[in-house]
Amino acid sequence: MLNPMEMAKDIVVNGVIPDDERVWVPQAENVWFRPLCLSTRQGYWVNLLRVRKSGILSRHRHPAPVHGYVIEGKWHYLEHDWMATAGSYVFEPPGETHTLTVPADVPQMITLFHITGAMIYVDEAGKVTAYEDVFAKIEMCRKHYIACGLGAEFVDQFIR
Ligand code: FE
């Protein structure tokens, strides 16, 4: 046997941007995510984030690094003066608090994010209001996939 018994199964997602709209999991108004890899062993997740019509991803902070690759459209953080355009790579350092915003003239943005640890939602004073870790993302997926008819087990293909 060439591979170790304990090795996780690989994942191949053909059509990262899905034809089936139901694959997108609602996150907030005008905000959805599409799971690709949900790592319960290492506590990270890889997903596409889609934001339409000047949507906002609430102010949040990360305890661990985030890497992003912008596939379509553009977005920025209220706290920075740069713009992440299609083709851009973004590194979000642990400890930073930011609010992701899509300009009004951008109909849709899609970005691939690799998020380790959690999204920690905070208020203006930096007080924690909510958080999402990989387990919360899995629960969001399950709930949505049950409701839309894809079935609870649809999310299992992304979990490692
Ligand atoms: Fe972030």
Side-chain angles (χ1 to χ4, degrees), residues 21-115:
E21 177 61 26
R22 297 176 300 171
V23 175
W24 290 101
V25 180
Q27 161 97 30
E29 196 183 351
N30 295 328
V31 182
W32 298 260
F33 71 96
R34 184 263 204 265
L36 293 168
C37 179
L38 303 162
S39 175
T40 60
R41 301 301 175 97
Q42 291 190 284
Y44 70 83
W45 68 99
V46 180
N47 67 183
L48 296 187
L49 184 73
R50 183 178 73 182
V51 184
R52 286 181 174 160
K53 280 274 169 194
S54 56
I56 287 180
L57 189 64
S58 307
R59 182 188 304 106
H60 63 272
R61 174 184 168 124
H62 299 284
V66 173
H67 304 274
Y69 171 69
V70 186
I71 295 171
E72 182 188 327
K74 60 183 178 182
W75 54 269
H76 68 283
Y77 285 125
L78 292 181
E79 297 81 0
H80 287 290
D81 56 10
W82 48 256
M83 184 72 68
T85 52
S88 300
Y89 162 76
V90 175
F91 164 66
E92 303 182 5
E96 183 176 276
T97 297
H98 48 224
T99 313
L100 193 158
T101 309
V102 172
D105 64 337
V106 177
Q108 168 171 292
M109 86 77 164
I110 295 176
T111 298
L112 185 147
F113 279 112
H114 179 302
I115 299 160

Side-chain angles (χ1 to χ4, degrees), residues 134-156:
V134 67
F135 304 101
K137 302 310 279 190
I138 290 170
E139 273 315 299
M140 290 168 77
C141 289
R142 282 228 172 86
K143 208 173 155 199
H144 169 69
Y145 291 145
I146 289 169
C148 74
L150 285 172
E153 61 288 341
F154 186 79
V155 69
D156 294 347

